[in-house]
């Protein structure tokens, strides 16, 4: 049988599977809804650097001030006024009053507030005596992500207010001009810049991983139905007795699932750009090529599993058992650098790790082919090795 005939027969089988898939309106709807749900969930549910607003915060101003001077000084009240002025502009907090740490603790435990700020009784006295005024930020440790973000933002706000007070003191006490006070307090500045325009956020990090994950899931869940289901119903026997090459059956099934996966991948890319303003800094063609390579790297695994599982239910269970660990170990949602060393070693054995990493480099950092050549070689090697093992096993399974 010639190569032309193999390709033609593979195209027939691919068309058959796509037509069968298209007959179910529910599956066509889910083809769009599943990536839409994934992107909306990640885009709106997961917090980003700008998602803190109207957080309920209790403020306990215990400062007694200093009434021994004329006029009396109450820096705690001045601090509160400044904090309220800043909050009116940012709407970051919904401020309420409290009397003590115990009250703030109780309200956090009851879920009424997200944190608290405490000014101690000697706040004014410490500052007037040349010491630092101590401010305590109480956080809700049951929500570590929001707690960490609140702590960082509040610390930055309080630090800015302290700098403003220090500039006022320098200006009034030492007659240093206002423009020069900042150079005395902070003699150096730090500037942060990325290699591409714009500010990074969590969604831009996770979007390439979601794209590669959905393509993987589409392929891995589609192959059990495409092969094991036809084993169960007996339609595979009809193809086996037809005058076509066994390789055509494999290629046709793979082509159909590849098209399905690429459609879902394209939907996610469009949703990320249109709904969430993601900018693809690299080449669109390179993104498409990486998606094709992602499909290629998982095809062998899908064929391998369906070749030794007799029923569709068993194949689906094995697929799901493998997919879910890969979703969390491959750096889709969290950087693998934050994982323990032994889990990083496992992550580097998974093809999804390199697919997500390569897409992230191209989409977020604007990298070219040379920057992702290592990931491309690894994904290609994964695909070749798995296909070399899977195809003979599949042919053997069809002969049984």
């Amino acid at each position: 049988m010639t190569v032309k005939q193999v390709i033609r027969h593979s195209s027939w089988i691919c068309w058959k599977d796509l037509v069968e898939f298209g007959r179910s309106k529910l599956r066509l709807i889910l083809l769009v809804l599943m990536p839409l749900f994934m992107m909306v969930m990640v885009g709106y549910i997961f917090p980003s650097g700008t998602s803190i607003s109207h957080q309920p915060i209790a403020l306990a101003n215990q400062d007694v001030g200093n009434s021994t001077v004329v006029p009396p000084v109450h820096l705690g009240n001045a601090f509160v006024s400044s904090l309220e002025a800043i909050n009116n502009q940012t709407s970051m907090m919904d401020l309420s009053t409290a009397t003590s740490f115990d009250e703030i603790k109780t309200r956090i435990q009851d879920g009424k507030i997200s944190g608290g700020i405490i000014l101690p009784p000697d706040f004014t006295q410490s500052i007037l005596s040349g010491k630092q005024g101590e401010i305590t930020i109480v956080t809700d440790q049951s929500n570590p992500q929001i707690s960490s973000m609140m702590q960082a933002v509040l610390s930055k706000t309080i630090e800015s207010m302290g700098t403003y007070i220090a500039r006022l003191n320098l200006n009034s006490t030492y007659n240093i001009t206002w423009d020069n006070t900042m150079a005395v307090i902070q003699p150096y500045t730090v500037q942060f810049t990325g290699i591409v325009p714009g500010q990074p956020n969590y969604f831009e990090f996770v979007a390439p991983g979601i794209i590669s994950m959905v393509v993987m899931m589409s392929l891995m869940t589609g192959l059990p139905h495409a092969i094991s289901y036809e084993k169960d119903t007996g339609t595979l026997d009809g193809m086996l007795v037809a005058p076509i090459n066994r390789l055509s059956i494999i290629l046709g099934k793979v082509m159909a699932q590849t098209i399905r996966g690429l459609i879902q991948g394209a939907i996610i890319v469009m949703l990320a750009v249109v709904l969430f303003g993601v900018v693809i800094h690299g080449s669109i063609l390179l993104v498409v090529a990486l998606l094709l390579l992602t499909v290629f790297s998982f095809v062998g695994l899908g064929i391998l599993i369906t070749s030794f599982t007799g029923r569709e239910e068993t194949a689906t269970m094995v697929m799901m058992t493998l997919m879910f660990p890969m979703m969390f170990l491959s750096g889709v949602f969290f950087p693998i650098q934050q994982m323990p060393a032994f889990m990083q070693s496992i992550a580097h054995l998974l093809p999804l790790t390199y697919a997500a990493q390569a897409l992230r480099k191209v989409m977020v950092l604007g990298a070219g082919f040379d920057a992702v050549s290592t990931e491309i070689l690894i994904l290609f090697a994964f695909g070749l090795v798995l296909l070399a093992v899977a195809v003979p096993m599949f042919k053997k399974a069809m002969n049984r």
Side-chain angles (χ1 to χ4, degrees):
M1 186 169 289
T2 64
V3 174
K4 184 178 180 180
Q5 288 176 316
V6 170
I7 294 175
R8 186 171 71 252
H9 294 161
S10 300
S11 301
W12 290 346
I13 294 174
C14 172
W15 179 251
K16 178 194 79 70
D17 280 12
L18 291 175
V19 170
E20 181 184 356
F21 181 83
R23 286 174 182 162
S24 172
K25 294 182 179 179
L26 179 60
R27 281 190 290 189
L28 288 175
I29 293 172
L30 292 177
L31 184 73
V32 178
L33 285 184
M34 196 271 280
L36 177 62
F37 170 76
M38 293 293 295
M39 299 305 284
V40 169
M41 180 187 70
V42 173
Y44 290 119
I45 296 179
F46 280 81
S48 65
T50 59
S51 62
I52 287 186
S53 63
H54 297 287
Q55 292 294 317
I57 301 295
L59 179 59
N61 182 10
Q62 301 174 341
D63 182 31
V64 297
N66 187 340
S67 58
T68 61
V69 297
V70 179
V73 178
H74 202 293
L75 296 180
N77 290 343
F79 175 87
V80 173
S81 298
S82 300
L83 184 63
E84 290 175 343
I86 294 174
N87 190 54
N88 289 336
Q89 297 177 356
T90 62
S91 300
M92 184 182 68
M93 299 172 285
D94 289 334
L95 289 172
S96 60
T97 58
T99 58
S100 64
F101 172 82
D102 290 335
E103 181 183 347
I104 291 176
K105 175 182 176 182
T106 301
R107 291 168 66 179
I108 290 177
Q109 290 173 339
D110 293 340
K112 295 180 179 179
I113 58 175
S114 299
I117 303 173
I118 301 175
L119 302 181
D122 61 346
F123 182 72
T124 296
Q125 192 60 40
S126 296
I127 295 176
L128 292 179
S129 62
K131 299 178 182 178
Q132 289 182 314
E134 183 179 285
I135 300 173
T136 302
I137 298 176
V138 186
T139 58
D140 179 4
Q141 292 160 297
S142 66
N143 193 337
Q145 192 166 17
I146 291 293
S147 175
S148 177
M149 294 170 67
M150 288 294 298
Q151 186 174 347
V153 172
L154 286 175
S155 297
K156 187 65 177 177
T157 302
I158 293 171
E159 180 184 341
S160 299
M161 293 170 62
T163 301
Y164 180 78
I165 294 174
R167 295 181 70 182
L168 284 176
N169 292 335
L170 285 173
N171 179 250
S172 59
T173 305
Y174 299 101
N175 199 27
I176 299 176
T177 61
W178 180 258
D179 292 337
N180 292 334
T181 53
M182 198 63 189
V184 176
I185 297 172
Q186 295 180 358
Y188 53 86
T189 60
V190 179
Q191 292 184 346
F192 297 92
T193 183
I195 60 176
V196 293
Q199 293 295 323
N201 57 57
Y202 178 74
F203 184 76
E204 287 187 351
F205 166 82
V206 81
I210 292 290
I211 293 170
S212 58
M213 184 188 72
V214 169
V215 171
M216 175 201 72
M217 291 176 63
S218 176
L219 183 72
M220 297 284 278
T221 56
L223 279 174
H225 176 80
I227 299 176
S228 297
Y229 174 76
E230 294 204 22
K231 283 184 184 179
D232 294 343
T233 58
T235 54
L236 185 62
D237 295 334
M239 286 188 285
L240 292 176
V241 298
I244 60 175
N245 193 300
R246 302 293 172 87
L247 182 61
S248 298
I249 299 176
I250 301 175
L251 289 177
K253 299 290 185 183
V254 169
M255 287 168 60
Q257 301 309 314
T258 299
I259 293 173
R260 176 186 163 190
L262 289 177
I263 290 174
Q264 287 193 312
I267 291 172
I268 291 184
V269 172
M270 288 188 292
L271 290 173
V273 173
V274 175
L275 294 183
F276 303 104
V278 172
V279 178
I280 300 177
H281 296 281
S283 168
I284 296 291
L285 292 178
L286 187 54
V287 171
V288 174
L290 288 172
L291 290 178
L292 282 170
L293 193 56
T294 301
V295 171
F296 176 75
S297 65
F298 283 102
V299 162
L301 182 60
I303 295 173
L304 182 64
I305 293 173
T306 54
S307 65
F308 68 80
T309 51
R311 300 180 62 83
E312 181 189 7
E313 181 182 0
T314 307
T316 302
M317 290 177 63
V318 174
M319 292 286 190
M320 299 299 286
T321 303
L322 291 176
M323 281 195 304
F324 277 100
M326 277 197 285
M327 288 166 52
F328 293 99
L329 291 175
S330 299
V332 172
F333 297 106
F334 310 100
I336 62 174
Q337 293 84 355
Q338 295 180 354
M339 300 178 186
F342 75 95
M343 295 187 74
Q344 292 187 35
S345 300
I346 297 174
H348 286 110
L349 297 175
L350 304 174
L352 186 58
T353 299
Y354 300 97
Q357 190 170 292
L359 280 172
R360 196 168 287 130
K361 285 182 178 181
V362 175
M363 294 178 62
V364 180
L365 299 180
F369 178 84
D370 291 342
V372 295
S373 58
T374 301
E375 287 84 358
I376 289 175
L377 288 174
I378 293 174
L379 287 172
F380 190 71
F382 266 114
L384 282 181
V385 171
L386 289 173
L387 280 176
V389 176
V391 171
M393 288 188 63
F394 182 76
K395 288 182 177 180
K396 184 178 180 182
M398 287 193 296
N399 290 330
R400 291 200 296 265

